[in-house]
Amino acid sequence: MPQVLRVIYSAFRMAMLHWIADPQWVIPNIIAPFIFTAVALTLFQGSTGPFGLYAVLGGGMMGMWGNTLYSSGYAIEFEKWQGTLEEVIAAPSKLMHVIAGRSVSNALFGLVNMFAVLAIAALGFKIQLGIANPLLFTVSLVLTLLSVSALGLIFASAFVLSRSALTLTNGLEIPLYIISGSMFPVALLPFWIHPAAYILGPTWGIDAIRLATSQEYASQSFWNGMNWNTAILLDLTIMSLITLGYAALATVLFKMVETRARTQGTLVEA
Amino acid sequence: MNYSQNIRVFFSSAVFSYRAQFSWLNPTMWLTMKFVLTLSQMAFFVFVGLFIRGPSVIPFIAIGNALQTVSWNTVFSVVNITSHDKWDGTLPLVLATPASRLPLFIGRAMVHVFDGMLSVVISFAFAAFIFGVDFGQANALALTFTVLLTALTMAGFGLLIGGLSFYYREPLIFANIFLFTLLIFCGINFPVQDLPQFIQPFSYAIPLTYGVSAARSAIAGATLLDIAPLLGQQLIVGLASIVLGYIFFRSFENVARKTGRIEAV
């Protein structure tokens, strides 16, 4: 196995072991999306339209988001609490690869969270969700998962230098749910927020996931009037390009942050 | 211990717990949380409500979420005091002190009550200036009293959950769960009557439910006298939670002393 993949896999495995050793921390990660979905579904009672689709898929998406964002902050903070961040940075493996493995593991937990939200919506609120195109749904989900993980890497690089990574995480969580239009169309937001929505990979990911779930959603998609499959592929192409951009940016940021932490000796103070 | 000593313990606990907060939350972050968290939570639910039910629900949701922000201070921060004592290794010292527990216990929550009220004021400003909620008819006295009573009574819940710190390793998990469930149970985003019948008794066991309802009435112009029955019920529920919280605090303390598990959990 190439060295990079080995580091990512080891970090992934380590993160999984941490969660298994201390599973209680899964609860705060998953509680917000559950509650937000439940609130939306309660508001949705008695209404007609694709609101259930928005609520359930949005809730699941938020699960992935929240988990990745939270764990990006937590991964760094945890190392600081344990006094092991210096060792992780001093190791010959790149910090970014270590964090990448953790981000993927946490996004994967988020995926489980998504399915849990779907199950609760189906059982508790009797929401019927058929998937129109399972293949495109799966591809959309996996690519969104990667996009969320890549965004988590950018946040993690900033968290290395911050003393308040967890606080930042708490502060960023809901704004990201809003800007990506996880539970309502981006069009509802003020126009000056739209550019921020469009540079978030998950904004396109959730559009593709909704499209792959139901053709009825097509009229509310970014690609209204376009062929259904083409619309999904366009969403996925844009999201993939953004994800590559995130990965490139994260590489540069990690290098900068690592260099700064080493030369200025600010790692322990932060 | 005499009366003046109790007052001193009360105030020193209040000031110290507030200062201790900044060991984990620096002032810049404190401001960020005060403005970003309050606005973003309100905005999220306002947009969801706007999308599903239209503009008529905006004032209902904005006011509900504004009042719910008080819980971040009065529940989360209050629980965090004991948690941090444990992480920092100061909990045994606190328990070894001869200071009377009641002023110590209530004093620790007191500054968070005022901090929580500040969050509500900021949120009301967002509701008015960003989401267009009309405060023109609001009865200032009734609204101020409602916010104060809600903050005080919710602090009782914070102390209740904080008592779990003695017996459970991560009481913040309870605080997290409790804070989010308030969004469902307390009529924040939709009326309590929309909940299934079997859940509604839980809603009425939480002081925030009465506070949110009273605040909506006060903003619509109701006087203090008009909302007195609601506030009376809120006071009863709030006092019960403070008493229960204190009993929990003492009993958990005793169990932790007997079993020597203060720092083991």
Side-chain angles (χ1 to χ4, degrees):
Chain A
M1 192 188 291
Q3 195 192 3
V4 173
L5 284 181
R6 193 155 47 81
V7 173
I8 292 174
Y9 171 71
S10 300
F12 171 86
R13 186 167 167 270
M14 194 70 186
M16 286 289 184
L17 290 173
H18 272 155
W19 285 116
I20 292 165
D22 200 4
Q24 60 185 342
W25 280 106
V26 173
I27 297 169
N29 284 12
I30 64 173
I31 192 79
F34 272 121
I35 298 290
F36 287 15
T37 308
V39 168
L41 287 173
T42 308
L43 282 168
F44 156 73
Q45 282 172 350
S47 305
T48 52
F51 304 123
L53 180 76
Y54 271 93
V56 175
L57 294 179
M61 185 73 190
M62 284 159 55
M64 275 204 291
W65 253 126
N67 226 57
T68 307
L69 183 64
Y70 182 86
S71 52
S72 300
Y74 185 77
I76 299 297
E77 201 75 0
F78 184 77
E79 300 287 0
K80 283 183 186 171
W81 290 342
Q82 304 298 317
T84 47
L85 185 60
E86 296 89 333
E87 280 82 353
V88 171
I89 290 198
S93 311
K94 285 199 162 102
L95 178 63
M96 184 180 155
H97 299 151
V98 175
I99 302 293
R102 290 178 190 175
S103 282
V104 172
S105 83
N106 291 310
L108 204 62
F109 266 109
L111 195 63
V112 175
N113 189 9
M114 180 178 205
F115 288 116
V117 169
L118 295 178
I120 295 227
L123 298 173
F125 289 87
K126 313 288 180 210
I127 299 288
Q128 302 283 327
L129 271 186
I131 295 172
N133 189 326
L135 178 66
L136 280 176
F137 179 85
T138 309
V139 172
S140 305
L141 207 57
V142 171
L143 289 179
T144 308
L145 189 76
L146 289 175
S147 192
V148 168
S149 301
L151 191 55
L153 287 180
I154 294 178
F155 287 125
S157 66
F159 292 162
V160 174
L161 291 182
S162 171
R163 206 183 152 207
S164 308
L166 285 181
T167 313
L168 278 169
T169 304
N170 284 331
L172 281 171
E173 185 181 4
I174 304 179
L176 286 171
Y177 294 160
I178 296 172
I179 296 169
S180 61
S182 54
M183 261 195 201
F184 44 79
V186 171
L188 272 185
L189 296 170
F191 74 93
W192 53 268
I193 296 181
H194 292 190
Y198 298 145
I199 59 165
L200 288 176
T203 306
W204 303 96
I206 188 72
D207 197 58
I209 290 171
R210 284 181 192 135
L211 275 168
T213 306
S214 168
Q215 291 198 30
E216 288 173 24
Y217 169 73
S219 63
Q220 300 198 20
S221 145
F222 291 129
W223 314 103
N224 184 16
M226 197 173 277
N227 173 278
W228 185 55
N229 283 325
T230 312
I232 297 176
L233 291 175
L234 275 171
D235 273 334
L236 295 182
T237 307
I238 294 173
M239 180 170 64
S240 302
L241 289 173
I242 292 173
T243 304
L244 287 175
Y246 288 162
L249 184 62
T251 309
V252 174
L253 282 175
F254 265 105
K255 202 170 173 59
M256 280 169 60
V257 164
E258 231 179 299
T259 307
R260 189 179 148 187
R262 283 175 195 272
T263 52
Q264 297 186 0
T266 51
L267 200 60
V268 183
E269 288 171 25
Chain B
M1 186 176 280
N2 62 34
Y3 184 72
S4 65
Q5 272 180 315
N6 281 339
I7 296 281
R8 193 165 49 78
V9 169
F10 174 85
F11 280 108
S12 61
S13 299
V15 171
F16 201 71
S17 77
Y18 196 68
R19 289 175 61 189
Q21 178 177 243
F22 291 102
S23 73
W24 62 276
L25 188 70
N26 64 48
T28 314
M29 280 302 132
W30 178 82
L31 286 170
T32 308
M33 299 301 283
K34 270 277 173 285
F35 288 90
V36 176
L37 195 66
T38 49
L39 175 61
S40 58
Q41 183 185 308
M42 184 186 291
F44 180 85
F45 288 110
V46 163
F47 282 119
V48 170
L50 181 66
F51 177 50
I52 297 175
R53 292 196 176 172
S56 61
V57 298
I58 292 177
F60 187 94
I61 293 177
I63 295 168
N65 280 281
L67 214 68
Q68 196 266 348
T69 57
V70 82
S71 314
W72 286 99
N73 296 94
T74 54
V75 176
F76 201 83
S77 297
V78 170
V79 173
N80 217 16
I81 301 167
T82 315
S83 298
H84 264 274
D85 262 336
K86 197 156 64 175
W87 294 338
D88 298 338
T90 48
L91 190 57
L93 300 176
V94 171
L95 296 184
T97 176
S100 172
R101 291 292 183 265
L102 194 61
L104 180 87
F105 177 74
I106 297 177
R108 290 179 146 217
M110 201 41 61
V111 181
H112 295 288
V113 167
F114 295 107
D115 198 28
M117 289 178 72
L118 178 63
S119 300
V120 178
V121 171
I122 292 167
S123 298
F124 278 155
F126 288 140
F129 296 112
I130 297 180
F131 298 109
V133 176
D134 182 10
F135 280 78
Q137 304 296 315
N139 184 310
L141 178 67
L143 189 57
T144 307
F145 197 78
T146 300
V147 174
L148 174 65
L149 194 61
T150 305
L152 278 169
T153 50
M154 286 307 289
F157 261 80
L159 293 168
L160 187 69
I161 297 170
L164 295 171
S165 298
F166 290 104
Y167 220 66
Y168 194 71
R169 192 167 50 179
E170 301 290 357
L172 284 181
I173 288 173
F174 291 111
N176 259 307
I177 295 171
F178 181 73
L179 276 173
F180 282 114
T181 51
L182 293 177
L183 293 168
I184 292 184
F185 287 168
C186 297
I188 308 293
N189 295 296
F190 48 78
V192 171
Q193 291 72 27
D194 284 4
L195 289 168
Q197 287 279 337
F198 70 94
I199 292 180
Q200 291 183 23
F202 292 104
S203 301
Y204 292 113
I206 303 171
L208 185 63
T209 307
Y210 304 96
V212 169
S213 188
R216 289 193 182 110
S217 300
I219 289 167
T223 64
L224 196 53
L225 203 62
D226 295 332
I227 58 170
L230 268 176
L231 298 182
Q233 292 173 73
Q234 185 182 21
L235 189 62
I236 292 168
V237 174
L239 282 176
S241 64
I242 290 173
V243 170
L244 201 60
Y246 182 65
I247 293 169
F248 267 29
F249 189 86
R250 290 311 305 257
S251 53
F252 283 133
E253 180 186 337
N254 287 335
V255 171
R257 277 175 191 275
K258 282 179 189 163
T259 57
R261 294 182 65 198
I262 295 170
E263 289 180 311
V265 287

